[in-house]
Amino acid sequence: MKLNQGYRHLQNSYFFSSIVKKTEDYRAQDPKADIIRLGVGDVSIPLCPAVVHAMQQAVQEMGRKGTFHGYGPEQGYDFLRSAIRGYYRRYGVRLEMDEIFVSDGANSDLGNILDLFDRDNTVLIPNPVYPVYEDTNIMAGRKILYMHASEQNGFLPLPDKSIQADIIYLCSPGNPTGAVYSRAQLEKWVDYANDMGAIIIFDAAYESFIATPDLPHSIFEIRGAKTCAIEICSLSKTAGFTGTRCGYTVVPRRLVREGLELRRMWLRRQTTKFNGVSYIVQRGAEAVFSPEGIEQTRSAIAYYRENGRIIKNALEELGIWHVGGEHSPYVWLKCPSGMGSWAYFEYLLHTCHIVSTPGAGFGSSGEGYLRLSSFAGRDDTVRAMERFIQKGIPGQSAGQ
Ligand SMILES: *Cc1c(COP(=O)(O)O)cnc(C)c1O
């Protein structure tokens, strides 16, 4: 018996449990402190009425002979895939129905898609980034190269032709930084991947937060992407589905390597190892793309975006360098006075009673930075930023 040794090399779970532990320790020390959580990457607004109504109807159908549904199509019901296809058309992207795969969320597919690739591939991952890309590849024992993201490149690393990579992860709008690739920047990535024969795994979990028409929502808005990219998307942040679970992955027909169509491989993988998402959830997901659903989810996103604006205003007032917050629920800031991520995390917890996320948890290049989230309620966000403006910079308080 031999275990997967990759699990010995994982580190991140330790990091996130430290945030919880430090917060609990502080609460024990100062039980009356009104602690506000701006660290979480989870939504707070409930499912919108269009989704709730659709799911209630679907439950009724499931309880009646004649409208009951057993196993569904492995790729997802036509009604949902057709709604997703219609959504992509808004951004000028034409997809075939068989290129769309409904999933139970982005994380599952981010891990499962690696089934298609040999262990002997080199993976290129931005640093800092969403930890799942790194962890899933460590579990698989794959070689990982990191691309340094920094203030100099706006936390949007671009391809370096001297680096040979096979699988490239891009997340735009980015978690944790909130930075968004422009069309011209994504063109560089698509050209690089096509030249190298590499495959881009594009995580579009935050596409619905994009606020201006000039920024791409999908990698497939870029010419040439259909021969080098897989897009993974989720309704978690778009429509508050973190607890309901639904997403979708696009594998284009033209994505072919070694004579094999990756779309066919993925279909084969899914029909063997996945039996699809529940009918009830797929009806709820379909409602997200209805005119009412789009309007209702957009208003939830506008609420988060306003929180983001409040956070950014506070940072501007204090002259703290930051990105994100506009097309993303995250604001990524540089810790003042040259403090490290953990030191500033503790300072904010003890002084302002704000829980944040230390940037170092997303990779070594995140050291010295911090992530604030706009997913909290308005009142909490406003109160937190009032305290932040007063005492956010060590050794300095407002009015001095
Ligand atoms: C939240 C998040 C996901 C996870 O999505 P699920 O559909 O809930 O699994 C994927 N990618 C990024 C970058 C995220 O922040």
Side-chain angles (χ1 to χ4, degrees):
M1 219 290 299
K2 283 186 186 155
L3 289 176
N4 181 345
Q5 295 303 309
Y7 281 70
R8 292 192 194 278
H9 304 296
L10 297 168
Q11 283 165 5
N12 279 304
S13 60
Y14 159 77
F15 176 85
F16 289 97
S17 57
S18 310
I19 296 176
V20 174
K21 180 156 190 331
K22 282 180 196 286
T23 307
E24 279 167 7
D25 287 353
Y26 183 72
R27 194 185 286 287
Q29 200 184 310
D30 184 1
K32 288 207 196 70
D34 167 33
I35 295 175
I36 299 176
R37 288 170 199 280
L38 298 186
V40 278
D42 198 356
V43 294
S44 57
I45 297 174
L47 295 175
C48 70
V51 168
V52 173
H53 180 71
M55 286 174 64
Q56 279 170 335
Q57 276 198 321
V59 170
Q60 295 297 330
E61 284 178 54
M62 290 299 275
R64 263 187 248 119
K65 206 177 158 86
T67 53
F68 168 75
H69 290 266
Y71 286 123
E74 287 95 347
Q75 270 194 257
Y77 283 99
D78 278 1
F79 61 78
L80 176 54
R81 284 188 293 142
S82 150
I84 294 167
R85 189 163 70 149
Y87 183 72
Y88 270 92
R89 229 177 269 131
R90 294 160 66 111
Y91 305 115
V93 176
R94 292 194 161 272
L95 297 178
E96 302 296 333
M97 288 287 274
D98 63 9
E99 295 178 314
I100 302 167
F101 295 79
V102 174
S103 73
D104 63 350
N107 263 19
S108 317
D109 278 10
L110 283 166
N112 295 336
I113 200 79
L114 296 176
D115 260 20
L116 309 193
F117 305 110
D118 191 274
R119 179 168 178 263
D120 185 22
N121 276 300
T122 299
V123 175
L124 188 57
I125 296 180
N127 175 7
V129 87
Y130 187 56
V132 170
Y133 317 147
E134 182 184 29
D135 286 353
T136 50
N137 280 289
I138 291 176
M139 287 173 183
R142 220 168 260 119
K143 182 180 171 196
I144 303 174
L145 300 176
Y146 298 90
M147 21 181 182
H148 179 60
S150 63
E151 279 170 63
Q152 284 68 44
N153 59 24
F155 285 92
L156 294 167
L158 288 172
D160 172 349
K161 293 225 161 61
S162 69
I163 290 173
Q164 186 76 43
D166 304 301
I167 302 169
I168 302 156
Y169 285 84
L170 298 177
C171 181
S172 177
N175 181 5
T177 67
V180 193
Y181 279 108
S182 70
R183 221 169 279 275
Q185 290 170 321
L186 284 186
E187 278 165 10
K188 291 200 171 96
W189 274 117
V190 166
D191 288 347
Y192 169 86
N194 277 323
D195 286 350
M196 293 270 173
I199 289 178
I200 296 172
I201 297 182
F202 191 78
D203 185 340
Y206 295 96
E207 61 79 21
S208 59
F209 284 79
I210 290 175
T212 51
D214 54 313
L215 293 167
H217 287 248
S218 163
I219 186 90
F220 300 120
E221 290 179 53
I222 310 302
R223 187 193 297 271
K226 283 187 178 170
T227 54
C228 69
I230 290 171
E231 181 155 290
I232 295 184
C233 203
S234 166
L235 297 182
S236 282
K237 319 296 164 36
T238 298
F241 269 54
T242 50
T244 305
R245 310 306 304 146
C246 196
Y248 47 93
T249 289
V250 176
V251 188
R253 287 180 178 177
R254 284 165 57 209
L255 186 61
V256 178
R257 293 290 182 276
E258 302 173 9
L260 283 176
E261 236 186 79
L262 273 79
R263 185 195 70 79
R264 285 185 187 281
M265 290 173 74
W266 182 238
L267 179 62
R268 191 69 180 80
R269 191 265 170 216
Q270 291 296 75
T271 51
T272 304
K273 298 195 186 180
F274 181 57
N275 262 338
V277 177
S278 93
Y279 175 74
I280 298 162
V281 168
Q282 291 196 57
R283 280 295 183 197
E286 178 193 23
V288 170
F289 299 100
S290 69
E292 310 79 59
I294 287 178
E295 196 189 309
Q296 291 164 5
T297 51
R298 291 287 131 138
S299 96
I301 288 169
Y303 178 94
Y304 296 135
R305 201 180 279 130
E306 175 63 14
N307 286 348
R309 200 188 58 79
I310 292 164
I311 295 170
K312 281 170 69 71
N313 281 355
L315 292 167
E316 265 150 38
E317 193 152 325
L318 295 181
I320 294 176
W321 187 92
H322 61 279
V323 284
E326 238 173 302
H327 309 287
S328 147
Y330 304 120
V331 183
W332 178 252
L333 62 102
K334 185 176 193 168
C335 304
S337 324
M339 286 174 99
S341 291
W342 273 115
Y344 194 48
F345 167 88
E346 300 228 16
Y347 174 84
L348 287 185
L349 177 62
H350 294 205
T351 314
C352 302
H353 303 158
I354 295 171
V355 182
S356 58
T357 311
F362 300 97
S364 54
S365 304
E367 179 53 79
Y369 295 85
L370 199 87
R371 189 189 76 177
L372 292 177
S373 147
S374 65
F375 281 135
R378 178 67 41 78
D379 288 353
D380 280 355
T381 306
V382 168
R383 270 185 309 123
M385 288 304 110
E386 281 166 3
R387 294 179 201 164
F388 188 81
I389 289 171
Q390 290 294 316
K391 301 182 237 165
I393 296 185
Q396 190 182 317
S397 50
Q400 277 186 333

